[in-house]
Amino acid sequence: LGRYDTPLYLTRQIWDTIPVEYLPPNERVTVDMTCGWGSFLIGGYERFSKLTDMRHISLKSVFFGNDKDEFTARLARLALLLYSGDDNWHVGTSNALDWNWLKKHTPNIIVGNPPFLGNRKSTSDVLTSQSRQQVADNFLKYAIQRLSIGGYLAMLMPLSFSVSQASPELRKSLLSNCDILEIWEMPSD
């Protein structure tokens, strides 16, 4: 299915690099559109709970997760319950690209690890015939479209995303619409 676990130590490290302090506390609305078991949500919860200016805001009101798999979404809700001691977190079970909540809102922070599937033989109309079609590209493109101006995006992408034959139009869009703060290359293991 192209799903890869995002370990909590990695999401914590990613959250430490997002300068959320530059956003007003009530504008730190965060979305993980492919949340899996919730490691990005937990990492964000931990980060926000340490910020003194967030103490008067219910963290349940700023975190929104989604995973199309019902079981995995339940795991995310359970993980958030165990970490926070609070229940009823907003974790949906839609296809992320059709998620009604995200169609209606423009969050200031989008994080995630979309599915990594690709096929060198399959191309899209937008890409040249030399390009590789990757499922993760659709999630990144949608995240860029839905992100609020001045917001922060942290998304894991397959290594092939940075290769010249893969995703040239999306890379152009990313460079023209976003200021890139960091790019990390992770070891395959």
Side-chain angles (χ1 to χ4, degrees), residues 4-186:
Y4 297 93
D5 177 49
T6 312
L8 193 53
Y9 74 86
L10 178 58
T11 59
R12 286 175 175 146
Q13 190 171 355
I14 291 169
W15 271 107
D16 285 345
T17 66
I18 302 172
V20 298
E21 296 83 359
Y22 289 116
L23 295 170
N26 60 339
E27 293 182 17
R28 294 177 188 156
V29 175
T30 300
V31 168
D32 184 348
M33 39 196 248
T34 56
C35 70
W37 66 270
S39 64
F40 270 107
L41 298 172
I42 291 167
Y45 172 85
E46 290 176 345
R47 177 94 156 55
F48 284 21
S49 64
K50 294 175 186 173
L51 300 174
T52 57
D53 62 356
M54 292 296 291
R55 292 201 176 127
H56 66 283
I57 296 174
S58 167
L59 294 184
K60 285 193 325 186
S61 69
V62 297
F63 284 101
F64 297 86
N66 180 72
D67 197 279
K68 71 178 184 176
D69 182 73
E70 176 67 38
F71 177 73
T72 311
R74 286 182 186 181
L75 286 177
R77 286 186 210 107
L78 177 61
L80 285 163
L81 168 66
L82 293 173
Y83 268 82
S84 69
D86 206 351
D87 203 358
N88 299 318
W89 289 84
H90 305 284
V91 179
T93 56
S94 299
N95 176 331
L97 304 176
D98 294 323
W99 184 22
N100 281 333
W101 188 93
L102 193 52
K103 286 181 179 182
K104 297 175 184 175
H105 298 87
T106 53
N108 286 303
I109 303 170
I110 298 179
V111 294
N113 181 3
F116 289 10
L117 290 172
N119 183 348
R120 288 191 183 276
K121 296 175 185 168
S122 172
T123 60
S124 73
D125 297 332
V126 177
L127 304 176
T128 67
S129 60
Q130 297 287 320
S131 298
R132 178 179 175 171
Q133 177 65 31
Q134 300 179 113
V135 172
D137 289 2
N138 299 330
F139 294 88
L140 177 59
K141 181 179 179 181
Y142 191 55
I144 293 168
Q145 293 169 353
R146 299 307 309 150
L147 186 65
S148 180
I149 293 172
Y152 296 102
L153 173 65
M155 190 165 287
L156 298 176
M157 294 295 289
L159 184 58
S160 59
F161 176 77
S162 62
V163 177
S164 62
Q165 287 187 349
S167 318
E169 294 301 317
L170 183 55
R171 282 197 314 274
K172 269 188 213 175
S173 174
L174 181 66
L175 291 171
S176 63
N177 292 305
C178 303
D179 294 324
I180 296 179
L181 301 178
E182 293 184 24
I183 295 177
W184 300 353
E185 183 177 331
M186 308 301 292

